[in-house]
Amino acid sequence: MYYLNREIKGADRDSFVVCTPLDAAPLADHLARDKDHFYQNDEMIEETLWLERLHEMTQEP
């Protein structure tokens, strides 16, 4: 798995899903997850931080 030509280390290809809302701002970070980990762009992050970022993206302006 790659993000902007950078390998997403540790990502499980079979369960990897991009979770960034379709209506997110054009330059928003991208969120993804797989069966074991949570990602922001190409970095693995903690689930709680990932959930905070996802919540921020889904809030009305």
Side-chain angles (χ1 to χ4, degrees):
M1 304 300 309
Y2 289 83
Y3 176 79
L4 298 176
N5 295 326
R6 296 186 303 255
E7 182 180 4
I8 302 174
K9 297 188 187 299
D12 177 69
R13 180 181 179 161
D14 293 331
S15 63
F16 191 87
V17 178
V18 175
C19 302
T20 304
L22 293 176
D23 61 349
L27 298 176
D29 287 338
H30 290 89
L31 299 176
R33 65 177 295 175
D34 64 21
K35 65 184 180 83
D36 297 315
H37 303 103
F38 296 84
Y39 305 91
Q40 181 174 342
N41 300 328
D42 61 331
E43 298 288 326
M44 194 180 303
I45 63 173
E46 294 295 321
E47 180 180 8
T48 54
L49 181 57
W50 186 90
L51 289 169
E52 287 176 23
R53 299 288 190 257
L54 183 60
H55 179 75
E56 290 168 3
M57 287 183 173
T58 57
Q59 293 300 302
E60 295 286 329

